């Protein structure tokens, strides 16, 4: 898409945002950028990071800085991954296949969405050696859910990410105005016997009754680690540990579900305190710079995941754009580590930050 004019220099994630906005139709732009209600939480996700200040340590040997880490025992090149977002074909012809290739090349985890616009088989074929988790909306039809889980397992996905903050869809005004959902189809929530895609509105049959006690059913049908995405409180974090899940993604769905909840980085603090190191905690929402990554890790996140910035990169340059977004953020994070005196992610800790009085 960037061939339409002289290519501007893209040096940070917000540069990709500005260029992506120029390329996208109004309805697609609104779908990606939109938040719920007044978008208070969407905006606070970004601004909350700026209320945190860094406390750098100097006179340390930072001639070698290592950004590598692990999540669920799997090695990744940096604590930065791709959050689940749907319908990548809206912004680039190869959609999620391009996203998967970029993640594989970068050596990071790609959480594939239930509402991907490419089939899981095509995504896996595009990036066979990449680390993949699968984001899962539990369907009211347990047999359908079970078939999808087994398909995901057989395709080599390494974890199931259960989105918990969507028993019903948030009030996204732009999508209603644009009537966007009528035009979207999805490839994976369908009976294997029928090749036809279901219209997106039928996907609205996400289970509204799935609750804590149902997790044991899910654990009985899969050996994959189960990670809960959307936990925002100490109480739910404690219940997650009690129900033997393997990880938590602190997330407010990019501010697209319930507006006026805590920014992800603010909610991270109580969730990390609640789990007491028993499960890995991750974060998505509002990460735009290397400093943001450092701050999330200092507050106890093992890894952060990017949502909208990946779609901006994909819009601008497809696979290469996603690679660039990941590369820019990793390089910024590397610099942030060096400038705070951290030679490895293990050295990033709470003493590196303080909360601003601004």
């Amino acid at each position: 898409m960037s061939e339409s004019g002289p290519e501007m220099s893209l040096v940070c994630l917000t540069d990709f945002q500005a260029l992506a906005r120029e390329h996208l139709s109004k309805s697609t732009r609104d779908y990606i950028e939109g938040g719920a209600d007044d978008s208070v939480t969407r905006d606070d996700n970004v601004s909350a990071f700026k209320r945190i200040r860094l406390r750098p340590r100097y006179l340390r040997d930072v001639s070698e800085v290592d950004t590598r880490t692990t999540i669920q025992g799997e090695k990744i090149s940096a604590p930065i991954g791709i959050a689940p977002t749907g319908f990548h074909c809206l912004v680039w012809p190869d959609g999620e296949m391009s996203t998967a290739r970029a993640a594989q090349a970068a050596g990071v985890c790609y959480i594939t969405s239930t509402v991907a616009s490419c089939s899981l088989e095509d995504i896996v074929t595009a990036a066979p050696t990449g680390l993949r988790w699968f984001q899962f909306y539990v369907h009211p039809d347990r047999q359908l859910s079970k078939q999808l889980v087994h398909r995901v397992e057989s395709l080599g996905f390494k974890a199931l990410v259960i989105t918990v903050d969507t028993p019903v869809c948030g009030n996204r005004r732009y999508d209603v105005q644009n009537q966007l959902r009528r035009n979207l189809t999805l490839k994976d929530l369908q009976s294997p016997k029928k090749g036809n895609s279901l219209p997106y509105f039928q996907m609205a049959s996400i289970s509204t009754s799935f609750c804590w006690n149902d997790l044991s059913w899910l654990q009985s049908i899969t050996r994959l680690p189960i990670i809960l995405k959307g936990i925002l409180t100490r109480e739910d974090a404690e219940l997650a540990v009690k129900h033997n899940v393997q990880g938590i993604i602190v997330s407010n769905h990019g501010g697209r579900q319930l507006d006026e909840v805590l920014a992800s980085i603010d909610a991270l603090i109580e969730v990390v305190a609640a789990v007491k190191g028993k499960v890995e905690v991750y974060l998505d929402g509002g990460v735009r710079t290397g400093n943001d990554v450092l701050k999330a890790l200092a507050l106890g996140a093992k890894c952060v995941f990017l949502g909208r910035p990946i779609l901006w990169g994909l819009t601008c340059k497809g696979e290469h754009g996603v690679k660039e977004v990941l590369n820019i953020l990793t390089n910024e994070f590397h610099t942030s580590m060096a400038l705070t005196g951290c030679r490895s992610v293990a050295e990033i800790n709470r003493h590196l930050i303080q909360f601003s009085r601004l």
Side-chain angles (χ1 to χ4, degrees), residues 59-274:
L59 294 174
R60 291 180 165 183
D61 179 0
V62 289
S63 55
E64 288 185 23
V65 171
D66 187 357
T67 62
R68 292 175 299 173
T69 187
T70 63
I71 49 174
Q72 299 297 319
E74 299 279 346
K75 293 176 184 175
I76 49 175
S77 65
I80 297 163
I82 298 180
T85 53
F87 309 114
H88 290 196
C89 287
L90 284 173
V91 303
W92 190 261
D94 277 351
E96 288 83 3
M97 292 187 287
S98 291
T99 309
R101 288 186 200 106
Q104 177 179 273
V108 300
C109 179
Y110 166 36
I111 308 179
T112 306
S113 172
T114 291
V115 290
S117 46
C118 299
S119 75
L120 297 182
E121 287 76 8
D122 286 347
I123 293 166
V124 171
T125 301
T129 62
L131 174 60
R132 294 176 304 278
W133 294 354
F134 183 72
Q135 177 273 328
F136 184 55
Y137 287 117
V138 178
H139 194 275
D141 181 339
R142 284 200 169 179
Q143 193 55 33
L144 204 59
S145 288
K146 188 175 181 178
Q147 286 171 346
L148 184 52
V149 167
H150 288 161
R151 186 168 151 218
V152 162
E153 275 186 324
S154 69
L155 285 168
F157 286 80
K158 298 291 188 189
L160 274 185
V161 176
I162 312 300
T163 298
V164 302
D165 61 11
T166 316
V168 298
C169 198
N171 183 35
R172 303 172 200 172
R173 296 170 186 167
Y174 289 120
D175 285 0
V176 175
Q177 286 168 356
N178 295 322
Q179 297 184 307
L180 185 77
R181 295 198 186 113
R182 289 186 187 175
N183 305 320
L184 300 176
T185 64
L186 95 123
K187 292 274 189 344
D188 281 305
L189 205 59
Q190 62 188 31
S191 167
K193 292 172 189 165
K194 300 175 193 148
N196 58 314
S197 296
L198 298 177
Y200 178 85
F201 64 82
Q202 283 182 251
M203 195 284 294
S205 53
I206 295 170
S207 175
T208 54
S209 63
F210 190 82
C211 59
W212 290 106
N213 290 336
D214 297 312
L215 280 173
S216 59
W217 167 75
L218 203 54
Q219 288 160 334
S220 76
I221 65 166
T222 182
R223 282 178 290 193
L224 292 178
I226 290 174
I227 292 154
L228 300 185
K229 176 179 179 286
I231 301 290
L232 291 170
T233 61
R234 180 191 76 241
E235 294 89 340
D236 279 348
E238 288 171 351
L239 281 166
V241 172
K242 185 180 166 188
H243 285 84
N244 300 311
V245 304
Q246 279 71 47
I248 289 170
I249 303 179
V250 175
S251 170
N252 49 47
H253 218 108
R256 295 161 73 81
Q257 275 301 100
L258 179 62
D259 198 20
E260 299 174 44
V261 297
L262 280 180
S264 296
I265 192 66
D266 292 334
L268 176 68
I269 300 163
E270 71 172 271
V271 170
V272 167

